[in-house]
Each structure stands twice: as structure tokens, then as C-alpha cells.
């Protein structure tokens, strides 16, 4: 077995993955609806083929050979080997027929989730969620290495190196910090004016504005594109084809504006991975949390920055052709950072968002480490919303059935979103040690910011672990205080609070 | 070997083909340009896999087994078997290394063609075309069964059953017929007014009109879509996903109008194939010529019909919002059917178009049956244009390098376009025996026309040969007189000629 032979096998699997990527992108951006059955067959077949190859004889042979001959691998070859080995162990440890049964359970759970949404009632999917939880509890011993608890095993699949012990501490700190800001804002703050945010801005006007902003932030449209979809996402086929999507609301321009800024952050990450990782599984983000750190750096760091908006305001006014002529900059800026408790995660503002994640984290931990009954989950969910956010869902659609993740088996995934927030703030702080970020955001050229992120994060793709990237980039391990400080500075400014 | 096993192998090859189809569609409708190298790798890999499977051990085994056990096949299974066998013999008879060398020659020729276009000089691609011709002359003996001449072998690959002997006769008749019409029109005709055709019609206005017309003609947008491209085409992934494309010129609405009507004809064909052929190579058109007959039925039969335009004119006026208020219907209709000699095939009107094909046919026949030198082709080309159309190219871009076909190895393909014209006119005549076509086109409901075509052509997919389809649908073999008569009736009406 030569390195070249190994890398060629991996490349062919990647090429299948690219094809699957396009099939998925297409099915979410404009595939004729009627053809979803045909599409399902194609995706199912090619995905199956890619999976079989990823645990197939050639990969097995390569893993066995290079286990004893790692000195024959180049630097890139070794990094690919390590990643392939990790994925192999994750995928191959479960008996095939159990994995197949699990996939069937996921299909059933997705159908049940759609029903539960319609009925606004978790009861419709309770049994299916129980089945998924049972499967995962059956699988966890296969996956477990030296993790302390069952839920640690799941967390690690999305954010390698993360533990319940760390997260408990971090989330306690974040929660306390956010609660304090919320209390202060509620007691002493001046609520910003927001009535004008619902003024009509056409899709064409919004598109012009957000495309311009995304481009200035470093998203390369010659290696990407922006399409319409229902549930926005970024999908990268490769570093020269990282596509972003959005939805538009003509009476709420902030949705597509922050949405595109967010997705552009994901896209810039993928576009900036070192070409030496082309056609390998390292040509992607280091983890979900790190990926979110890049989209959220755009959305909540740059997107909350006053200098940035001061610079963009004339362009915004130009694109909206007079609609906001009566609004001065301060009023405009403040309106973008209103905070308000909400029931639905994806509609949350940046201050309350982490609380939505902490609720999900606490419930997931209860399921896997404390064996709480699935039947009790809606009650627990609603109580937590009341406790943390002061509002209570009137039905399960506003509550526990709002997200697709659990019916998709993605327990352990939600914390990534909150990690993204904290990483982004920590990166902003480290960047500030070297670069005058505010001055750059007031200027015509943001490339220094993008280049800093590429140098410290993007270029490495998935060749480094999240904790290593953050340590190298910021000089310390994950520290949630930066997020709290950042939120405080933004929201106290907007709400005119002087401590 | 069970039938199910055979059909499953064929289905998997079809699923790969669908993925390739989407990759191709995407690369021509909006793929980020920069990523064409990545895309080339993906398409190359999956196409290679599909090809290997199509001549691989499972297909070989099935062909051998069912050769002696055809009684074990269902009706559909037998039809699939026959098609797979045909394709296998075509693909498998050439030694693999020669086929690979040929594919390399095609890649080189495509690059040379692009150079020749830039230089407007055939000399830039002369050697590469010679190489392709040499390869085809080497391959023809492998493919030859009972065809009379070398060029017959090539013709048969695109239109099974077609011969030089038949085409010589047919084209002589078509040429004489068109020449006579052209002479009469030039001598006695009143040239229609066309100045207003260049009035500004926005893309949105055009899109509304042509989408509406395509839908009325039977193109099902819930199983298709309309996108922008440079070189318009239809691409069907399956009968529920048959996509059409167009380009737009805001100062020439006729381009997209007739373009979309044309592509919709291809799309309707694919959408209407019997579902029993799903996931088999029979779920496509019977031949290039039959496929063109459906697009051209839309474009030149319906698209030249006065009742149709009379019905559509108010809708056209509505979509164009006053731009043509000063134009009466007769003037409008006549303007659409102006005829004028042109050098470029894809810009030709429907009367002169067949002459462009006949020129190519005669040259291809000279290459393969008379061993004319490739170096002499530009001279021959230019002389023929002067003789048949009365105009002479000033450079090779207006002449012999205008089309991509020869550099792609597609000798024998051009006649399909002319066959499409003749089939369409013959189908129109047969349809007229059962249906009052003019009255239907003046009405709100064109479904009778579409249903007639589905009953006689579409439903069969590739399970029947072109000559059988035409014979069954019209009661006689290909007869070019219907095209000549039809052209005469249209152009004499527009040019106000009373014989």
C-alpha cells in the first residue's frame, strides 16, 4: 500500500461526497418538488456507496498498513490517516444491522416529527424519540473511550475534547452573565425604537445590500453563489464552490441581512482552507463549534459592531432607495440590537440565544446521564423556559418540537451553537490584541480581519482539533468571560446603561 | 440471474447517470466558474464508474444468460435487455485503450476548437479533426453490421435504421422544395415588417409570457424548471425532473420565446414517458431525431400557427405592458416568420434551417465515404453556402468552426435536426386526420394535442425505434413532402403569395 493509493481511495470517496452535496443543495434550492422520490433513490444509493467505501476493504487495508508504517506518510497523508481512522472507528464499531435499524428509526422519527409539528403535540413523536434514545444508549458503549459519562461520548462526536464537566462550569458562568445583563437591561435600560424595521424592503434591494456586505467581508462569489431556500444553510462542495442560501422577508430585512452575513462566515471558512487538503476529509471545518464561530463572528461580532454599521449605513440607505431617510444612524443601529425573550431558538436575539442552548443541553444531559423519562420532557422544557426566559410555550410547536435535531438523532449537537458564540468572542478579543478591529470595520477594506481568521483558523481545515485551534489562536483554553463582556458592552451601549 | 437482479444493476447505473445529469446541468446554469476543475474530477470519476458498470461483469453475465432465457423476462425486462445489449455492443466492441486514446483526442479537439473560434481559423483545429476522423474510421469496422457504407454506420448511431441511400433522396427533395419556396418568395413575396421586434422587452416580461405559453403547451413546471444558460438545452434527470434552460435578449424577445417553446417540447416528451420505464435506459427519447421532432413540433408547427398566435397575442400584449400597442395582429404574426439567408445555423429561420443541415450532411458523407481531405473542408463549406444560400462566410467562425459537434466526434448527428423537422410536419399531418388542430390552437385547452403526441410518441420512450414510431403514428415511412407543403403554406401566407 502506497500513500498515493490510500489518498486516491479517499479522493474517490470525496468525489462521491461532492456529488451527494450537490444533490442535497439542489433538493433544497429548487428541485422540482414532485421528483423527491427519484432524488431519494439517487442520494440513498450514492450515500450508501460512499459509506461502504469509507469502511471498505481498501480503507481497512490502508489503516492496518499505516498503523505500522506511519513513517511512510507525508505530513498531509498522516493528517488524513488520523482523520480517516477516527471516522472509521466511529462508523465501523456498530454492527451493520443495528446501524441499519437505527437509520430506519431515524426515518420514522422524522415522519413523526412532522406529525408532531402539525399536531403541536410532542405525544406524536414520543415513542420515536424514545427509540432513538435507546439506540444511542446501546451505541454509546461501542463509541466510548475514556469519556467520563454517556453524554460526554455524544458531545465528543461534534466537538472533540468537550466534556460535561467543562460545559457545566462554562454554561453556569454564561447563564449567570446573561441573566445579569438581562436584569440590568430590564431594570435600567431604554428600549430602542424598532417600528421602522418592518418597512418594505424588496428582495432585490435586500439582495443588493447583503451581497455587497458579504463580498466586503471576504465571501468570494466567484467561488460561491447565493440562492433562496426555506431553511438557510451553507454547503461547500469544495473550496472553490461554497454555496450559501437565505430566505427573504420583505417586511423584515434583518432576517436575510444577518442570515447572509452568518452563512457567508461559513462560506469564507470553507473557501479559505489550504489547497493541500483538497479531495480529503480535512477540507472542511474543524468541528461544528468552530464552524459556528466563523459564521457567528460575522453575525454577532461584526454584525453588532457600531463602526461596521456606521460604515455600511450609507450603502444600506442607497440600496433601500429612500425608505429609511428619516432614520438617523444611532436609531438605526440600536434597533438592530433589541433583546426580547422568545420561545423559538432560531428567532432569538444574540443575548438570549445561549439560554435556548443551555436549556437543550441540560435536558440532553438528563436524558443520557440521569435517565429521565422521555414522556416528562415537555414539562421539563416548559418549566425551564419559564425559569430562564420568563415565558412559557402554549403548545409543543412553540416548545419541544420546534427543532429537527432530536428526531435526527443529533443529541450532543446543540452545545456547538453556544460554543460558536464563545469562540467568536474569544477570537475577537485575541484579534484585538494585534489589530484595531473597530478602525478596520470603519474602513473600506476588511481583508485584515479575514486574513487573521484564515491564518489562525480557516487554513487548517479539519487537520487540527477545536481546543488546539483556540489555544493557538488566543493563547488560552475556552473562556466564556469574553462573550459575557462583549454582550455587556453591546447591550449596555444600545440600552443606554452607564454602570 | 433473475430479471430483478439484472434490472437492479441497470437501475444503479441509471442512478449514477442521474447524478451526472445534475452535475452537468449545474455546471451550465450557475456553478461558480472557478470550480470547473473540481467539477471535472467529479464528473469524470462518476461517468467512468457508470461506463465501467455498463460494460462490467454483471451486465455481461445478464446479457449471456438472457440470450438463452429471454422467456424469463417480462415485457419491460425484454425491452431493457434489447437496449442494454445494443449499447453494450456499441461500447464494448472497441478495445478499451483505443477508446481511452479517443477520449483524449476529443479533449484535445475541444481545446483546439476554442482556439479556432478565437482565431476564426479552421487551421487551428485541422489536425485534431483529422485525428478524430482517423479514430472513427478505425472504429467503424468494429461497429459495422449490415450497413452499406461507412457513413451509414455513424448515421445509425443517432437514428437507428437511417441510411445514406434514403437520406440522399430525402434531402434532394427537401432541398428542391426549399429552393423553390425561396425563389418564389424572393421574386413575388412581400417582405414583412420586422422593425418592432427589437423593442425592449424585459427579461421578467419575457419570462412571464414564455412560462405561460410553455405551461399551456403541456410543460409541467412542478416536474421541471426554467433556468438561464449560455447554450440552451433540456436535461431530464427523470420524468419528474425535466429541466429546460434559455438565454434572454431584451432587444430580441423572439430568441427566448421560440427557445423556450422548443425546449419545452423536449421536456414534455421526457415528462410523458411511461412510468414502467423508470430507472431504465428506456426512460428517454427514441432517438435524437424523434426528440427534435417534439421540440420542433412546438417551435415550428405550433410556433408558426396563425390561430395559436392569434390566441396568444392578447397575453403577449398583457405581458409586454403596452410596448406593442401600435402593432396589429397580422403585422405581428408576419414578423415572426421572416426568412433570410444566414451563415450561422443556430440563427437560421425555419425555412432555411434544413439547408444548413444538408450542407453538413454532404460534407460528412464526403469525409467518410469519399475520403475528402480535412484540409479542404473550409473551401468546400464556403462554396456550399454560396451555392445553397447565396452568401459566403468571411471567416471560419461564421463558417466551419461555428459548431461544436465535429470536435466532439459527433459525425452523423446533424441530420437528426432535419429529421426532426420532417417528422414534426408528418406528425402534424397525421394528427390533422384525427383532430382539428387549428381550432384547438385557437382554444384555451391544448391538451388534446399533447395527449395525441403522448399516445403516439412520448409514452414509448426508447422502447421503439424511430421508423416504427413514425410508421405507427402516421401510417407511412418518413416522407419529406409534408414539410415542404407545410413550409409553403406558412411562408406563402406570410409573404402574400397567391399561386
Amino acid at each position: 500500500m502506497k500513500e498515493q493509493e490510500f489518498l486516491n481511495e479517499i479522493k474517490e470517496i470525496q468525489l462521491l461526497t461532492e456529488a451527494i452535496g450537490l444533490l442535497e443543495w439542489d433538493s433544497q434550492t429548487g428541485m422540482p418538488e414532485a421528483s423527491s422520490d427519484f432524488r431519494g433513490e439517487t442520494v440513498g444509493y450514492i450515500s450508501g456507496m460512499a459509506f461502504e467505501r469509507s469502511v471498505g476493504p481498501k480503507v481497512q487495508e490502508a489503516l492496518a498498513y499505516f498503523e505500522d508504517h506511519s513513517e511512510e506518510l507525508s505530513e498531509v497523508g498522516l493528517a488524513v490517516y488520523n482523520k480517516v481512522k477516527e471516522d472509521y472507528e466511529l462508523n465501523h464499531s456498530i454492527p451493520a444491522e443495528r446501524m441499519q435499524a437505527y437509520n430506519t428509526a431515524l426515518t420514522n422519527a422524522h415522519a413523526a416529527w412532522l406529525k408532531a409539528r402539525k399536531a403541536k403535540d410532542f405525544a406524536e413523536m414520543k415513542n420515536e424519540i424514545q427509540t432513538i434514545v435507546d439506540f444511542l444508549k446501546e451505541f454509546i458503549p461501542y463509541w466510548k473511550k475514556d469519556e467520563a459519562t454517556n453524554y460526554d461520548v455524544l458531545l465528543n462526536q461534534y466537538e472533540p475534547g468537550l466534556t460535561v464537566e467543562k460545559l457545566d462550569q462554562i454554561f453556569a458562568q454564561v447563564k449567570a452573565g446573561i441573566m445579569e445583563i438581562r436584569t440590568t437591561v430590564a431594570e435600567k435600560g431604554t428600549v430602542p425604537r424598532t417600528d421602522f424595521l418592518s418597512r418594505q424592503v424588496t428582495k432585490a434591494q435586500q439582495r443588493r445590500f447583503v451581497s455587497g456586505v458579504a463580498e466586503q467581508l471576504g465571501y468570494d462569489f466567484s467561488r460561491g453563489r447565493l440562492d433562496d431556500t426555506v431553511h438557510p444553510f451553507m454547503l461547500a462542495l469544495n473550496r472553490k464552490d461554497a454555496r450559501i442560501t437565505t430566505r427573504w422577508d420583505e417586511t423584515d430585512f434583518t432576517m436575510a441581512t444577518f442570515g447572509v452575513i452568518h452563512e457567508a462566515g461559513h462560506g469564507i471558512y470553507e473557501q479559505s482552507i489550504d489547497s493541500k487538503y483538497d479531495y480529503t476529509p480535512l477540507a472542511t471545518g474543524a468541528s461544528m463549534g468552530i464552524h459556528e464561530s466563523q459564521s457567528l463572528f460575522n453575525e454577532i461580532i461584526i454584525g453588532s459592531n457600531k463602526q461596521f454599521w456606521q460604515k455600511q449605513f450609507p450603502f444600506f440607505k442607497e440600496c433601500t432607495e429612500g425608505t429609511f431617510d428619516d432614520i438617523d444612524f444611532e436609531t438605526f443601529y440600536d434597533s438592530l440590537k433589541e433583546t426580547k425573550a422568545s420561545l423559538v431558538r432560531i428567532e432569538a436575539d444574540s443575548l438570549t440565544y445561549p439560554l435556548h442552548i443551555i436549556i437543550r443541553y441540560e435536558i440532553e444531559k438528563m436524558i443520557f446521564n440521569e435517565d429521565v423519562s422521555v414522556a416528562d420532557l415537555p414539562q421539563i422544557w416548559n418549566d425551564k423556559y419559564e425559569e430562564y426566559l420568563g415565558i412559557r410555550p402554549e403548545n409543543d410547536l412553540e416548545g419541544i418540537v420546534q427543532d429537527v435535531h432530536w428526531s435526527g438523532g443529533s443529541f450532543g449537537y446543540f452545545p456547538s451553537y453556544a460554543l460558536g458564540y464563545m469562540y467568536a468572542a474569544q477570537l475577537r478579543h485575541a484579534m484585538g490584541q494585534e489589530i484595531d478591529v473597530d478602525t478596520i470595520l470603519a474602513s473600506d477594506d476588511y481583508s485584515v480581519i479575514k486574513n487573521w481568521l484564515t491564518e489562525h483558523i480557516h487554513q487548517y481545515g479539519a487537520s487540527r482539533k477545536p481546543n488546539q485551534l483556540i489555544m493557538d489562536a488566543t493563547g488560552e483554553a475556552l473562556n466564556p468571560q469574553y462573550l459575557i463582556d462583549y454582550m455587556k458592552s453591546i447591550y449596555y451601549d444600545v440600552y443606554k446603561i452607564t454602570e
Side-chain angles (χ1 to χ4, degrees), chain A:
Chain A
M1 173 72 66
K2 294 262 171 51
E3 174 175 282
Q4 202 42 55
E5 198 184 337
F6 168 55
L7 291 179
N8 193 55
E9 178 69 7
I10 298 305
K11 177 176 176 174
E12 291 184 357
I13 298 169
Q14 280 300 116
L15 292 175
L16 292 174
T17 307
E18 284 200 27
I20 298 160
L22 183 68
L23 290 158
E24 294 285 5
W25 170 86
D26 181 67
S27 68
Q28 291 184 54
T29 52
M31 179 188 77
E33 279 173 42
S35 69
S36 58
D37 49 349
F38 280 89
R39 181 57 52 89
E41 295 270 351
T42 310
V43 170
Y45 174 61
I46 300 183
S47 302
M49 194 192 307
F51 180 78
E52 277 171 34
R53 290 280 291 272
S54 75
V55 297
K58 272 216 175 164
V59 167
Q60 288 182 26
E61 193 194 328
L63 292 180
Y65 180 82
F66 291 114
E67 175 92 50
D68 300 323
H69 299 81
S70 63
E71 74 286 352
E72 292 177 23
L73 291 168
S74 65
E75 186 206 332
V76 170
L78 184 61
V80 172
Y81 166 80
N82 287 327
K83 175 76 173 149
V84 169
K85 192 178 163 202
E86 254 178 55
D87 292 347
Y88 178 84
E89 283 169 359
L90 195 66
N91 288 324
H92 197 246
S93 46
I94 312 293
E97 77 279 13
R98 295 306 292 154
M99 192 48 99
Q100 210 168 340
Y102 176 59
N103 283 327
T104 306
L106 292 179
T107 305
N108 295 340
H110 188 79
W113 176 67
L114 294 174
K115 266 200 208 158
R117 286 180 66 86
K118 217 166 180 177
K120 303 183 182 185
D121 188 355
F122 182 72
E124 297 279 346
M125 66 189 291
K126 187 173 61 84
N127 294 338
E128 287 78 6
I129 293 292
Q130 184 65 59
T131 304
I132 288 176
V133 168
D134 292 343
F135 266 112
L136 289 174
K137 285 183 177 172
E138 176 190 333
F139 293 168
I140 284 170
Y142 290 104
W143 288 323
K144 202 163 187 164
K145 285 183 210 156
D146 47 6
E147 294 91 345
T149 76
N150 283 344
Y151 188 51
D152 282 301
V153 174
L154 299 180
L155 283 177
N156 263 276
Q157 295 194 348
Y158 301 102
E159 202 69 8
L162 195 64
T163 66
V164 166
E165 198 186 343
K166 275 193 226 171
L167 262 191
D168 276 349
Q169 204 182 343
I170 283 167
F171 278 164
Q173 194 176 339
V174 170
K175 190 169 123 187
I178 291 176
M179 293 299 214
E180 187 203 328
I181 299 171
R182 279 176 51 77
T183 307
T184 310
V185 158
E187 286 172 0
K188 311 187 200 159
T190 310
V191 177
R193 191 187 144 194
T194 56
D195 56 286
F196 53 87
L197 291 178
S198 59
R199 289 186 188 166
Q200 168 96 7
V201 184
T202 67
K203 181 178 154 182
Q205 291 170 330
Q206 292 187 47
R207 199 183 165 92
R208 187 180 160 212
F209 176 63
V210 297
S211 299
V213 169
E215 200 161 4
Q216 290 173 68
L217 291 172
Y219 180 74
D220 179 355
F221 277 94
S222 82
R223 296 186 291 139
R225 49 185 284 171
L226 171 59
D227 291 86
D228 302 356
T229 190
V230 180
H231 303 288
F233 62 95
M234 183 285 304
L235 192 149
L237 303 181
N238 52 64
R239 72 187 156 80
K240 291 185 180 172
D241 190 350
R243 304 173 178 207
I244 58 176
T245 59
T246 194
R247 49 183 184 153
W248 311 91
D249 181 345
E250 296 207 333
T251 61
D252 176 12
F253 70 86
T254 66
M255 188 175 74
T257 297
F258 287 103
V260 171
I261 288 176
H262 179 99
E263 300 305 337
H266 286 303
I268 291 165
Y269 189 177
E270 295 278 343
Q271 289 177 340
S272 308
I273 295 171
D274 196 313
S275 64
K276 69 185 176 190
Y277 300 125
D278 286 351
Y279 304 115
T280 80
L282 302 176
T284 187
S287 70
M288 272 307 307
I290 297 290
H291 232 307
E292 283 296 315
S293 81
Q294 297 309 296
S295 51
L296 289 166
F297 192 94
N298 268 10
E299 181 188 341
I300 65 149
I301 304 297
I302 296 178
S304 299
N305 186 287
K306 205 169 200 162
Q307 283 72 20
F308 168 78
W309 279 110
Q310 195 138 31
K311 170 73 196 167
Q312 297 298 337
F313 194 50
F315 178 46
F316 178 76
K317 284 200 154 176
E318 185 192 323
C319 292
T320 51
E321 298 167 286
T323 307
F324 299 93
D325 275 359
D326 59 322
I327 307 296
D328 65 67
F329 172 70
E330 290 282 341
T331 309
F332 175 76
Y333 172 73
D334 289 349
S335 76
L336 301 177
K337 299 306 298 180
E338 190 193 25
T339 176
K340 216 175 179 176
S342 66
L343 291 166
V344 177
R345 180 181 61 84
I346 60 167
E347 292 165 6
D349 59 71
S350 53
L351 181 61
T352 55
Y353 189 95
L355 297 177
H356 291 260
I357 299 307
I358 292 171
I359 290 172
R360 286 155 179 76
Y361 165 72
E362 291 176 354
I363 295 176
E364 291 187 348
K365 202 174 54 168
M366 290 166 80
I367 297 172
F368 288 95
N369 288 358
E370 296 155 36
D371 289 319
V372 73
S373 159
V374 166
D376 295 338
L377 296 183
Q379 174 79 31
I380 299 173
W381 179 288
N382 294 347
D383 289 349
K384 284 194 183 284
Y385 265 82
E386 190 149 5
E387 182 189 346
Y388 294 7
L389 283 151
I391 47 179
R392 193 176 181 90
E394 289 190 6
N395 59 58
D396 290 342
L397 182 58
E398 293 176 352
I400 192 167
V401 309
Q402 67 183 258
D403 285 313
V404 74
H405 302 61
W406 290 350
S407 55
S410 301
F411 289 92
Y413 184 108
F414 278 121
S416 306
Y417 296 120
L419 291 172
Y421 269 81
M422 295 184 276
Y423 290 152
Q426 187 164 337
L427 289 168
R428 165 67 184 83
H429 180 264
M431 191 187 284
Q433 307 295 305
E434 297 172 35
I435 294 171
D436 183 349
V437 178
D438 289 348
T439 304
I440 290 165
L441 287 173
S443 81
D444 282 328
D445 181 4
Y446 301 161
S447 60
V448 182
I449 292 174
K450 190 209 135 194
N451 293 342
W452 192 95
L453 291 168
T454 296
E455 187 194 332
H456 291 90
I457 304 288
H458 304 159
Q459 62 162 321
Y460 299 110
S463 70
R464 299 195 176 177
K465 297 286 168 228
N467 40 16
Q468 187 193 345
L469 280 173
I470 293 298
M471 182 63 86
D472 290 349
T474 71
E476 61 178 315
L478 175 59
N479 179 349
Q481 194 56 43
Y482 297 113
L483 177 65
I484 298 165
D485 293 347
Y486 190 75
M487 291 290 185
K488 205 173 270 186
S489 74
I490 297 294
Y491 284 96
Y492 285 7
D493 172 51
V494 166
Y495 280 80
K496 318 298 171 205
I497 291 161
T498 44
E499 281 188 302

